[in-house]
């Protein structure tokens, strides 16, 4: 649907935003930062603080800030917005938290417990670190050959190499250590020096300040690559971890990568785990199989205008309604 959305973005006029204000929106991000970040820079681009502040102003002047507490107590009011941030990066604490606190805007932060305190990192982040290292060696062909051999893929260009290396299977992530060794990258040192992820002490401080946290699985796997039992454990363990460490009595969860192909059986198991759970996807503005599932869209792309992005998502809602894809069907 990339082409349709591109067209909708192009035809969006930012003066039309008030037309769509009734529709509540749930924008999400991962990181806000003024400088490049090695473990992210080869995965996606992100906004700087000035751009984020501008987003906050656009959202606050057009929508009412929704407190996650109200989300748990009643249904969602019209014309609300609620921000959330995935992956529990350290910038959540160093950059985003101070801004939201100053603006008095509550938000939900979704974290992977395995990475909290920086003993271990997300395999995709390791891949980005490796690609940056390869870049510094001008993508030396013999090194690329060795790496493609480790993962048994072929490639014809650096771009194809990056694309295939970035999409290796979750079960192959152990081999990333071989690549780190090959390139003499000491990942423990990297984690210690850069502290990519939030710490328990920082989470506690933010909770004490009225912010909300949710699970995002333990290890951030592409869930479709796991069995049903593994999926359920990855999700529930991440919510339980928060409850055990921070005395949290609510259940929030967001799907890593995508909620597409998530089964009805898995959703039902999560609703059974806690019948007041709120589950977050990233399928845009859509209605899911249950009102406790909230669909979000990303405002992360720094090259797009925020008002136009919001209008694009609203127009895409009507497009999906027209082609019968507004209601998400799960098997
Ligand atoms: Zn994520």
């Amino acid at each position: 649907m990339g082409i349709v959305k591109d067209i909708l973005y192009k035809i969006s006029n930012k003066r039309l935003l008030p037309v769509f204000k009734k529709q509540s929106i749930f924008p999400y991000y991962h990181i806000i930062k003024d400088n490049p970040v090695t473990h992210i820079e080869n995965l996606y681009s992100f906004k700087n603080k000035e751009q984020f502040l501008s987003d906050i102003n656009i959202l606050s002047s057009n929508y009412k800030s929704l407190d996650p507490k109200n989300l748990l107590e009643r249904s969602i009011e019209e014309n609300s917005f609620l921000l959330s941030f995935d992956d529990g990066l350290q910038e959540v604490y160093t950059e985003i938290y101070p801004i939201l606190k100053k603006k008095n805007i509550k938000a939900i932060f979704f974290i992977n417990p395995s990475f909290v305190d920086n003993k271990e990192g997300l395999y995709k982040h390791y891949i980005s670190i490796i690609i940056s290292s390869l870049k510094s060696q001008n993508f030396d062909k013999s090194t690329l050959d060795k790496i493609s051999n480790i993962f048994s893929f072929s490639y014809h260009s650096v771009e194809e190499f990056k694309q295939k290396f970035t999409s290796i299977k979750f079960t192959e992530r152990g081999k990333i250590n071989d690549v780190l060794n090959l390139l003499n990258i000491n990942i423990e040192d990297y984690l210690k020096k850069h502290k990519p992820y939030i710490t328990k002490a920082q989470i506690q401080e933010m909770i004490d300040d009225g912010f909300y946290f949710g699970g995002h699985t333990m290890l951030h796997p592409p869930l479709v690559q796991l069995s049903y039992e593994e999926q359920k454990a990855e999700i529930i363990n991440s919510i339980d971890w928060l409850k055990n460490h921070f005395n949290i009595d609510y259940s929030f969860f967001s799907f890593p990568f995508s909620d597409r192909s998530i089964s009805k059986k898995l959703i039902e198991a999560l609703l059974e785990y806690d019948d007041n759970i709120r589950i977050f996807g990233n399928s845009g503005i859509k209605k899911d199989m249950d009102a406790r599932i909230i669909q979000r869209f990303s405002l992360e792309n720094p090259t797009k205008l925020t008002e136009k992005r919001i209008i694009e998502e609203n127009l895409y809602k009507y497009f999906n309604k027209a082609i019968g894809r507004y209601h998400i069907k799960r098997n």
Side-chain angles (χ1 to χ4, degrees), residues 78-129:
E78 284 182 352
N79 185 230
S80 313
F81 81 97
L82 173 60
L83 296 179
S84 53
F85 300 84
D86 287 2
D87 296 3
L89 295 161
Q90 70 138 311
E91 288 75 10
V92 151
Y93 179 81
T94 58
E95 317 288 323
I96 297 161
Y97 166 49
I99 292 174
L100 295 181
K101 194 177 165 176
K102 201 170 151 199
K103 299 275 176 187
N104 196 23
I105 292 169
K106 296 281 178 275
I108 308 176
F109 300 92
F110 295 103
I111 57 131
N112 305 107
S114 299
F115 313 141
V116 170
D117 289 333
N118 296 289
K119 300 279 185 294
E120 189 188 347
L122 210 166
Y123 74 108
K124 292 264 183 182
H125 293 159
Y126 289 2
I127 291 173
S128 178
I129 294 166

Side-chain angles (χ1 to χ4, degrees), residues 216-217 221-228 230-232 234-235 253-271 279-283 288-290 293 295 328-331:
H216 192 48
T217 69
L223 287 169
V224 283
Q225 292 175 23
L226 304 187
S227 71
Y228 166 76
E230 288 168 333
Q231 294 177 359
K232 196 176 148 187
E234 271 284 334
I235 295 170
F253 170 76
S254 81
F255 287 107
F257 298 113
S258 164
D259 63 282
R260 237 184 277 169
S261 320
I262 294 298
S263 67
K264 191 174 163 191
K265 186 179 166 193
L266 182 65
I267 298 280
E268 280 168 353
L270 299 180
L271 298 176
I279 302 167
F280 295 77
N282 56 356
S283 292
D288 216 307
M289 59 176 263
D290 189 282
I293 308 171
Q295 287 296 347
I328 296 175
K329 293 179 190 83
R330 299 192 183 274
N331 301 313

